[in-house]
Every structure is written in C-alpha cells, then in structure tokens.
Amino acid sequence: MKFIKILFYLVIVLIAGYFAAIFYFHSRDPLVKWDWKKINTDKVCYPKDFLWGTATAAYQVEGGFHNNNWTWWEKQTRADGRPAILNHDTCGRADDDWNLYPLDIKLMKKLGVNSYRFSVAWSKIMPTPDSINIMALKHYQELCDTLLANGIEPIITLFHFTYPFWFQQIGGFEKTENIKYFVQFSRIVYKALGGRVKYWVTINEPVVLVYSAYFIGEYPPGKQDPKLTAVVLANLLKAHQAVYNAIKQMPGGQEAKIGIVKNIMQMDPYRRYNLLDNLIAYFADLNFNQSLLSAFSTGKFHFYMPGMVNKKMLLPDLPQTLDFIGLNYYSHNAFRFVGDLDKSLTALPYPGEPLTDMGYTVYPEGLYRAIKRIAKLHKPIIITENGIADSLDTQRYDFIKRSLYALSKAISEGYDVRGYFYWSLLDNFEWNLGYSQRFGLYKVNFKTEKRTLRKGAKAFVETIDKWQRECFR
Ligand code: BGC
C-alpha cells in the first residue's frame, strides 16, 4: 500500500515537473499565431519620421570583386566534391550596381522610400593592409551624394560577411590581434563618409556569420569547429566595441548613431509538448539568439553547447556601445529530437506553414515576436532586413502586408521601432546559394541587367504611400 502511495506521488511530481519545464520553455518567447483571415492588414500606422528603405550588401549587388574571401571561396570544392557555391555560381558582375547605382536610386524613388541600407566593400577600399583605394572611397561618396540629393538617407554597414583575402590569410577574426585592421578600415570609411551618414552598422549578423563560416562550414573559410565558432563570435563582439569607441572619438563621431545587426530566428519545438524537442530548441536558441542578446544587455558572453563548446567572456562596457539595434527577421525554425544530437540540431521548417524558396516557412507573426524580444535591450530598433525569397512572386504581397501589420502592431503597443528595410531592392547573389534565390522587389535579368518591378512589391509601395497620406502622428 505504502509503495503504491509513493509511486503515485512520484508520478504526480514527474508529471508536474514535466509540465513546469514545458511551461518554462514556452514562456521564454511564446509562440504567436494569428488568424490572418480575421485581420485587416490595412489597419496600420507608423511614426512621422519613420525610415522606409530597402537593404543590400556590396558583395551581393555591386559586381567587380577580386582578392576577397568570397572570390576565393567561389573557387573551392568541399571534401564531398560539392562546389562551395551552389551550381558553381560565381558572383561576377552581380547586379552591376557599382556602375548602375544611379538607375538603382531611380528605382528606389519609384518605391517612395526615404532611406537605403548598403555595405561598403573592405576589399575594394583596402586592397592591401597598407593601401587605400581613393577611387573606391570616391565611389561611395558619390553614391551617398546621389542618394541624399534624391531625399534618400544612406545607412552604412561596415562589415557584411566579406573582407579582403589578405585579412583571411592572416587569420581574420579568429585572432584578437587582427581586430585593429577592422578598426583602421572603419576609421577610413568614417573619415570619408561621416559627414554624409548618420546611422552606422558595425557588423551584420555576427551569429549567422560564425555559424555559417565556422560551425557548418558553408561560408569562407569553410571550417567546422564549435570552439572556433565561439572564439570568432567573441572577437566580433570585441571588434564591434572597438569600432564603436574609435568612431566616437573621431571628429563628429559623437553624432554618429552606431549599432549592430542581430538576426532573430525563433527556435521552436517541432512538437509543442515534447520535452526533448523543447530542450533542443532551447539550446539552439541559447546560442543563436540569447548569447548575443545577453552580451549586449549584461556584458556577459556565454556560448554553450553541451559536449561541444563552453566559452565565457566578460565585456562589461559592451552594453554601452549601442545607439540602436538593427533587427533582421526572416522566419522561425523547428527542432525535433530524433535520438542523435547532431541530427536533432538540424533546423526544420515549422510544421503546417507554407514554405519560402529558402526552405524555411512564411511566418510574419515572428516579426512581432522578434521586436518584443529585442526590445529587452532597451534601445531604439531598426528593422534592417525583412523579406522573402519567392521566385514565382505568389507569396510576396501577403508576406509584406502581414509583416508590416506585425510591425505596426508592435509600434502601436509602444515598441520603439524607427525604420523598416526590405531585403532586398534587387534579386542578388545569395552567398553559398549563388543566384538560386529571388528576394528582390525588382526582378533582375542577370544577362541584360534589366530590372522589373514585381507585382508583390505593390504591398510595400502602397503602405509607404498610405503612410505619407494618413499616418503622421
Ligand atoms: C543576410 C543577407 C541575405 C539575407 C537573405 C541575411 O541573413 O544579411 O545578406 O541575403 O539574409 O538570406
């Protein structure tokens, strides 16, 4: 009798513990699902001085690269015989935006945007560690001047996944002592463009970069080393802090608004009430999202994957090095425990949602979730990227409408979002996936460089137009 009683209590405690754990995991970043049929996505409003723009990155649109870590990567073959870039694609002249930027600014004007986020090419500006290509700097000065003359505010990203090949050869961000080269480059760019540009992004998506380049080896230098992943991420945080301080000390630097861009991809359990799925999703989130968010809110960096890596670092001044936070949002991932840890850590598309061409799902509600989460840093937020790869252009219109609804809802609840940048202005080179993805508001024919506005882009144009007419408050 006594044994049965003990067993009974044990079962009750186990069940309670199970659900308490599930409750803990679910409450960290609760899943949000809306019934879009019942929502009027036209009911939106945004602040008067809101920044509306599109985003690009140098390597993906400019063309004309050489001596760069990605031009090297394009020539590599993996151990299993696959080319480093899908279909052996090479960036080549891409959108030829280096030459066609006046046309691209006209295309921006047609959208009605008032801002443009782009990155500057380190390998073009500093072809060797001790030389500066004045013509390249002049190019970016002219780009900024043309933007400004058209009422479009430039926002610059200093490091968006690519750097000179010489920087990779000396170990890139694997070595703390190399951070000085990035600081030097940033100073040169700020000196040339500081008078024209207010918002500066130091680094685009540090976690995506280290995950892709050092954990799964899909980006150069193509390594698969969890410990090095953590080292490089820690160095990128140090590099951000160093560049922030360096620019602030330059003439006019106090006026610069400097931030970093974090991609938030929610990591959700595949089966809501499976404890192991929740646990895997928790660890994925801890590293992909929380490691960076905690570093910027507490100054304590911790990157931990059981049995693989456990790196801690104190950067007490890091929380003081953000004037704004950039948020990139695309989708969420699902995790299913399948017995083997490695396989369980493979991100799956969330069940029951339509797929984008990238293989992850269409989940606009996630933008609202991501804003709420990043707002915990208590900094002004700019949505520096949000977009969809949709070659058939059948999902883009609704995706934009719904994402902009999610954004408006967050703003109406008091979240301090200052701008929204659609990824991307043009179809472009999608890193290891080459030219297989179509993110552009403008479709690009890469043989003729002809740009054509996609139907789905209307959702963006209409919303900006409505904001100009009605929304000012
Ligand atoms: C990157 C872009 C990329 C986009 C779409 C972001 O992670 O910043 O460079 O093209 O996602 O995949």
Side-chain angles (χ1 to χ4, degrees), residues 60 160 204-205 263 328 330 358 385 423 430-431 439:
Q60 297 181 267
H160 194 130
N204 181 68
E205 300 183 346
N263 175 313
N328 288 359
Y330 287 91
M358 286 291 280
E385 284 179 37
W423 185 272
E430 180 56 29
W431 307 115
F439 276 95

Side-chain angles (χ1 to χ4, degrees), residues 285-347:
D285 179 79
L286 216 54
N287 293 299
F288 189 85
N289 294 317
Q290 199 53 42
S291 60
L292 190 133
L293 296 176
S294 293
F296 276 100
S297 56
T298 64
K300 290 179 190 152
F301 170 73
H302 190 193
F303 196 83
Y304 172 58
M305 282 206 198
M308 286 189 220
V309 49
N310 187 9
K311 182 168 174 63
K312 289 184 183 170
M313 178 182 69
L314 283 181
L315 274 178
D317 297 333
L318 194 67
Q320 276 85 57
T321 63
L322 277 188
D323 300 322
F324 71 94
I325 180 77
L327 168 63
N328 288 359
Y329 172 76
Y330 287 91
S331 181
H332 60 162
N333 282 329
F335 292 89
R336 189 186 178 116
F337 184 74
V338 287
D340 165 288
L341 187 65
D342 261 7
K343 285 196 186 125
S344 306
L345 274 170
T346 307

Side-chain angles (χ1 to χ4, degrees), residues 132-146:
I132 302 173
N133 177 354
I134 302 292
M135 293 312 287
L137 283 177
K138 226 173 143 242
H139 167 84
Y140 291 115
Q141 286 173 332
E142 282 167 14
L143 170 61
C144 288
D145 289 342
T146 318

